[in-house]
Amino acid sequence: MTKNKTKRLTRTRHPERNRRRFGILLLGITLLALGVFIIRFFYISTGGKVDSANLAKERAKQYTTSQTLKAKRGTIYASDGTIIAEDASTYKIYAALNHTYVDGDKKNYVVDKDKTATVLAKYLAMSKAAILKVLDQPGLDQVEFGTAGANLSLALKQQIEKEKLPGIGFYDSPSRLYPNGVFASHVVGLAQATSSDTNKQLTGVMGLEKSFNNILKGTNGWRRTQTDTYGYELPQAKVKAKAAVDGGSVTTTLDAGMQSYLETLMTSVQNKYQPKTMTAVLMNAKTGAILAASQRPTFDPSTGSGLSSMWRDILVEDGYEPGSVMKIFTMAAAIESGTYHPNELYKSGSVTVQGSKISDWQLGGWGNIPLSQAFPRSSNVGMVKIEQEMGATTWNTYLQKFGFAQKTGIPLPGETAGNYAVKTPLEQAITSFGQGIDVNALQMMQGVTAIANKGTMIQPRIVSKTVSPPGKTTTYDRTVLGQPISSETASEVIDLMRQVVTADYGTGGAYKMPGVDLAIKTGTAQIASPKGGYLTGTNNYIFSVMGLAPASNPKYELYITMKQPQKMTAAAETILASIFKPMMTRALALDDNSTTTTSGKTVSVKAVTNDSLTAAQKVLGDQQLKVALVGTGNRVVQQLPAAGSQALAGARVILLTNGAMTMPDVSGWSKSDVLKLAQLTGKKFNLSGDGYATHQSLAKGSLLTDDAVTVTFKNQ
C-alpha cells in the first residue's frame, strides 16, 4: 500500500476530528464578529455618533416640528385714516378620515359621516349628498371640499367650530381685504398669493402694494418643538421660537370722500358713453398731494371683477399725445422767452410746414386774427406761428424744464418717461399743439403746477407717510422741482386760460361754473393709426380738459382724459364737464365748509371682542363710533374694523354676536360698510348701483343663509 493511499484512509477514518475543527473555526468567526459588534455598540453608545452623524441630533430631528409664525401684511390708509387695504385671513376646511388619528380617547377623525354632512351643508355651498360623496372616499386619510370649502371667513369658521364635529379642521391662508371695492384700484394695486403654500406671504403685484411691498410684507417667524407622530407636543419639550414681525403701513394722500365721489362720476360716464379708456386726477396744486385718481377700465380688488380687462395703471404706464392741453406750455415758454407778441396778426385756417399741411380744428379758420386769440380759440396754426418765432432751441429748453421725457418719480410701478423730437421744423411745429410728443398724465399735472404756483413746479405725491418695521416713520413732503417760469408769466398764462371759459370765442364754455373763477384748457388729440397717419371719425380722439380753481390763487388742479367714446351721444365737452364741474364743486366746498358733521378726527378702534354687547356699545360709543349688530346674542365674537385700526370719528363698526346670524338694517350704509358685513359673515352680497344703500333683499332680523343678499345703492 502506498504512502498516499494510507493518508486518504486515515482521513476517512476520522470524520469527527474534521467536524470538530470546522466547528471551532465557525465558533471563532462568530466570536470575532460578536466582539466587533460589541466594540462598535460600545463606541456608538458612549460617543453618540455613527460615522459623522450625531444620533441625538438625528433623533431630535425625527420628533422636531417647525411651525411658521405668520406676519401680518401692513395696512394702506387714505389721508384721513380710512382703511384702503388691510390684512385678513381666509380658511379652508378639511375632514380627517384615517381612524388612527386619535389622542387618547379623543377621536380626531370623522365619526358620523351622515351627521357631519348634514351640519356642513348649513354652512358650505354644497348639498348634503355632495358632502357625503366627498367623505365616502376609501383609502384617503384626509379630504377637502373644493372651492365651496375654501376662502371661508373667520366668522364662518367659528360658527362651524361651535358644532364640535370630530375630524373637521381648518387651514388658514393670508388674504387681502379691500373694503372700499373700486377705489383708486390701479393706484392702490393688488397683493396676491404667488404660491399654493399657505405659509408663503402675499406679494404686491401692482400699484402701491408692489412699490411698497418690502415695507408692507413683514417677516414671518418660526416655532420649533418636539411632538409625537400625531403632532402633539411632548412633555418637557424644548421650544425655540422667533417672533414674526408684522408689516408696516402706507398712508396715501387720497381723500376718501373725494375718491369715492370721483369713482361714482367716472362710472356714470363709462356706462353712458363707453369710452375705451378714461382717466381723472384731482390734485392739490400747492402741495402736489393727489386727492383722487381713477381710470376706466378699472377693477374691484375685493372680487377681482374687471381685472382681466386692464392690468395697466394708465395714469403712469400709458404714453399718449396730449393734444391742445399742451398749448399751456407753448404759451408759457413763449411768454417767458420774450418771443410772444399778442397783437401780431396771423392768417388762421392752415399752414404748410415741410410740405405737410397743418389745419385748425375749424378748417376755414377765423381769418386774420391776433396771436392773443390763438390760445382761447385753440388754434393749431397760431401755436405753430408762436413756436416758429420762439425757435426750436428755446422750445426744447422749456420742454426739458417742464419735465417732459422725464419720469415724475411718483412711487407707482412702470412709469413711462415719454418722448418727443424737435429735430425738424415739422416736428417742432406739431409738438407746439400736442402732437408728436408722448406724455403720461402725471407729467401734465406736474408741469401745470408751475402755472398754479407762480412759476414753481411741484412734484406730484400719492404717499404722505410710511411706517416700516420696527416703527421707522418716513414722511413725503412737498417737493419743489424748479422754477421753469416767472410769477409774471404764470399769471399771464392763467389769464389766457380764463379766456377759454369766459371769451365768447373760447372753447371751454361748457365748463362755466357760476361764482367760480376758473382757468381751463381743452384738448382734442388725434390718435395714431397702426397703418400710419391718424385715425379719422368724430369719436377717434383723446378728449381732455385741464382746469385750475380758483384761478386767482389756484389750489385745485383737475385733469380728465377720455379716449374714443363708443356711444358719443353728446359733445365731448359736455361729457367731460359732467365729471369736471361736480368734482371741482365738491373740492372747493371743502374749503368753504369749515363746519361739518364730523370733526375729521381719527380714532384707534378699541378691542371689544369677547365683551358683553352692552359694554362693547358703550366703549365704541365713547369713541364717537357708530355700532351695527349682526346676530341675536349678547356677547361680541368678532368686530370690523379690527381693534387698533384707524377710523374716522362717526364711522361704523360692525359687531358679530353669538347666537343666530341675522341681517341688520343697512339703510344709508356705504359700499365699504356692506363689504365689511360680507367679510364678517362670510355670506355673499350682490351690490347694485352707487352711493348709499336704499334697499336690501333680505329683511332686517332675517336669518342669513347661503342665499345671496342684494343691496341696492343710490346717490343721495
Side-chain angles (χ1 to χ4, degrees):
M1 185 177 294
T2 67
K3 185 177 179 180
N4 289 338
K5 199 171 190 179
T6 302
K7 288 181 178 180
R8 286 195 298 271
L9 289 172
T10 302
R11 291 190 188 100
T12 58
R13 289 174 184 159
H14 301 284
E16 298 87 355
R17 186 170 57 189
N18 293 335
R19 285 194 292 270
R20 189 181 306 115
R21 288 176 177 172
F22 180 75
I24 291 171
L25 178 62
L26 185 61
L27 178 61
I29 293 171
T30 302
L31 290 174
L32 179 62
L34 182 61
V36 171
F37 176 77
I38 291 172
I39 292 171
R40 180 68 169 167
F41 179 78
F42 179 77
Y43 170 78
I44 292 171
S45 62
T46 56
K49 291 184 177 181
V50 175
D51 297 327
S52 60
N54 188 303
L55 292 179
K57 291 182 179 179
E58 293 298 319
R59 183 174 64 253
K61 286 181 182 178
Q62 293 180 355
Y63 293 98
T64 298
T65 300
S66 293
Q67 176 188 5
T68 299
L69 303 178
K70 297 176 184 176
K72 291 184 177 180
R73 188 172 178 85
T75 302
I76 300 177
Y77 298 100
S79 60
D80 62 358
T82 298
I83 292 174
I84 301 174
E86 64 180 329
D87 186 73
S89 287
T90 57
Y91 301 88
K92 179 186 289 186
I93 189 172
Y94 69 85
L97 304 179
N98 193 322
H99 285 210
T100 63
Y101 293 169
V102 294
D103 180 17
D105 294 333
K106 183 180 179 182
K107 297 176 180 179
N108 292 321
Y109 58 88
V110 176
V111 176
D112 187 336
K113 293 182 179 180
D114 187 78
K115 177 185 175 183
T116 301
T118 301
V119 173
L120 290 182
K122 296 191 301 182
Y123 298 100
L124 305 182
M126 294 179 72
S127 65
K128 176 182 176 181
I131 295 174
L132 275 173
K133 187 176 180 180
V134 173
L135 296 175
D136 287 331
Q137 298 187 68
L140 296 182
D141 293 337
Q142 184 174 299
V143 293
E144 297 174 0
F145 300 90
T147 55
N151 296 318
L152 306 181
S153 68
L154 175 61
L156 187 58
K157 171 181 176 285
Q158 292 173 335
Q159 291 292 318
I160 295 173
E161 286 177 332
K162 289 178 183 178
E163 301 286 355
K164 297 182 179 179
L165 298 171
I168 297 300
F170 298 87
Y171 299 118
D172 68 317
S173 60
S175 66
R176 200 70 165 150
L177 176 63
Y178 299 90
N180 302 293
V182 175
F183 185 97
S185 302
H186 285 85
V187 171
V188 174
L190 192 66
Q192 294 180 326
T194 56
S195 167
S196 58
D197 184 353
T198 57
N199 289 325
K200 292 289 185 180
Q201 294 173 293
L202 296 176
T203 300
V205 295
M206 66 163 51
L208 297 176
E209 291 273 28
K210 181 177 181 179
S211 297
F212 292 91
N213 187 64
N214 288 338
I215 288 177
L216 293 167
K217 69 179 182 179
T219 304
N220 284 343
W222 49 265
R223 183 179 186 274
R224 297 191 186 104
T225 187
Q226 284 77 47
T227 61
D228 60 20
T229 55
Y230 298 106
Y232 295 100
E233 191 170 295
L234 297 172
Q236 299 180 333
K238 294 181 179 179
V239 178
K240 293 183 178 180
K242 182 179 180 180
V245 179
D246 291 340
S249 65
V250 174
T251 300
T252 70
T253 59
L254 297 173
D255 180 287
M258 297 302 295
Q259 182 66 45
S260 295
Y261 190 48
L262 178 59
E263 299 293 0
T264 298
L265 296 172
M266 293 278 280
T267 297
S268 177
V269 169
Q270 176 72 20
N271 291 340
K272 189 172 183 179
Y273 301 104
Q274 298 180 9
K276 286 191 175 180
T277 63
M278 188 165 53
T279 68
V281 184
L282 175 70
M283 187 169 78
N284 184 320
K286 300 294 186 188
T287 67
I290 294 174
L291 306 177
S294 187
Q295 71 174 58
R296 293 296 183 275
T298 188
F299 70 99
D300 186 338
S302 60
T303 64
S305 175
L307 185 58
S308 60
S309 63
M310 179 60 74
W311 267 88
R312 300 188 319 280
D313 182 352
I314 302 173
L315 291 171
V316 293
E317 293 186 62
D318 278 19
Y320 63 97
E321 295 179 73
S324 293
V325 173
M326 192 71 194
K327 294 171 183 175
I328 294 173
F329 305 105
T330 307
M331 293 306 306
I335 294 169
E336 184 70 16
S337 64
T339 61
Y340 172 56
H341 307 291
N343 296 321
E344 181 181 342
L345 297 177
Y346 75 98
K347 182 174 175 55
S348 62
S350 66
V351 64
T352 299
V353 180
Q354 277 191 308
S356 295
K357 183 179 180 181
I358 296 173
S359 300
D360 283 324
W361 62 269
Q362 183 165 301
L363 298 180
W366 306 272
N368 290 312
I369 58 174
L371 284 175
S372 61
Q373 293 185 18
F375 185 86
R377 290 185 186 274
S378 202
S379 168
N380 292 343
V381 176
M383 289 301 118
V384 172
K385 176 71 173 175
I386 290 170
E387 183 278 323
Q388 288 175 336
E389 293 192 7
M390 180 168 40
T393 300
T394 300
W395 177 221
N396 183 53
T397 298
Y398 282 96
L399 286 172
Q400 292 176 5
K401 285 184 176 182
F402 280 114
F404 293 107
Q406 306 162 48
K407 296 181 181 180
T408 66
I410 195 166
L412 291 171
E415 183 181 9
T416 179
N419 61 80
Y420 65 87
V422 288
K423 295 179 180 179
T424 69
L426 181 60
E427 289 173 341
Q428 298 153 21
I430 63 175
T431 54
S432 71
F433 55 85
Q435 301 287 168
I437 177 171
D438 272 0
V439 303
N440 71 53
L442 293 186
Q443 285 176 328
M444 297 295 287
M445 297 290 288
Q446 177 177 281
V448 172
T449 62
I451 311 301
N453 286 293
K454 299 181 179 180
T456 301
M457 191 164 72
I458 308 298
Q459 184 182 40
R461 291 184 298 136
I462 192 65
V463 172
S464 62
K465 180 179 72 173
T466 63
V467 179
S468 56
K472 180 183 177 182
T473 298
T474 302
T475 57
Y476 297 80
D477 298 320
R478 178 180 187 264
T479 301
V480 175
L481 298 176
Q483 185 91 14
I485 57 174
S486 66
S487 175
E488 292 76 15
T489 295
S491 180
E492 284 192 53
V493 174
I494 285 179
D495 283 341
L496 288 169
M497 293 175 70
R498 278 195 181 102
Q499 292 178 40
V500 174
V501 182
T502 60
D504 56 6
Y505 48 78
T507 59
Y511 299 98
K512 284 183 180 178
M513 298 168 60
V516 177
D517 183 15
L518 199 58
I520 287 287
K521 184 66 192 85
T522 59
T524 305
Q526 291 178 294
I527 300 172
S529 170
K531 299 178 181 179
Y534 289 95
L535 298 176
T536 59
T538 57
N539 70 327
N540 282 327
Y541 295 91
I542 296 176
F543 303 101
S544 60
V545 59
M546 174 73 78
L548 296 172
S552 57
N553 185 22
K555 179 176 181 180
Y556 296 107
E557 182 179 336
L558 179 56
Y559 182 42
I560 306 170
T561 72
M562 177 181 65
K563 181 179 180 180
Q564 294 171 289
Q566 299 303 291
K567 292 185 176 181
M568 198 169 175
T569 56
E573 292 78 11
T574 302
I575 298 172
L576 293 178
S578 68
I579 298 175
F580 185 95
K581 292 165 69 174
M583 196 68 198
M584 190 63 88
T585 298
R586 181 72 64 92
L588 294 169
L590 293 178
D591 293 333
D592 295 338
N593 295 337
S594 57
T595 304
T596 59
T597 55
T598 61
S599 63
K601 171 186 174 185
T602 59
V603 296
S604 179
V605 179
K606 291 187 177 179
V608 294
T609 303
N610 296 321
D611 288 357
S612 70
L613 185 57
T614 303
Q617 288 175 313
K618 183 179 187 309
V619 167
L620 297 176
D622 290 345
Q623 288 193 284
Q624 299 180 348
L625 296 170
K626 299 176 184 177
V627 176
L629 303 178
V630 180
T632 59
N634 57 7
R635 181 175 58 84
V636 178
V637 297
Q638 186 71 9
Q639 68 181 84
L640 269 182
S645 300
Q646 296 296 310
L648 195 65
R652 182 175 283 104
V653 178
I654 307 173
L655 303 180
L656 180 67
T657 68
N658 56 341
M661 194 184 298
T662 54
M663 179 70 186
D665 181 0
V666 299
S667 297
W669 286 28
S670 66
K671 278 189 175 181
S672 172
D673 286 340
V674 176
L675 285 168
K676 290 175 186 175
L677 176 63
Q679 169 71 13
L680 197 67
T681 61
K683 303 302 182 182
K684 182 173 177 57
F685 284 79
N686 295 326
L687 311 185
S688 174
D690 295 296
Y692 296 90
T694 58
H695 181 266
Q696 59 194 69
S697 62
L698 186 66
K700 173 186 175 182
S702 300
L703 188 67
L704 280 165
T705 65
D706 290 335
D707 295 332
V709 179
T710 299
V711 179
T712 303
F713 297 81
K714 288 186 179 180
N715 289 312
Q716 297 179 343

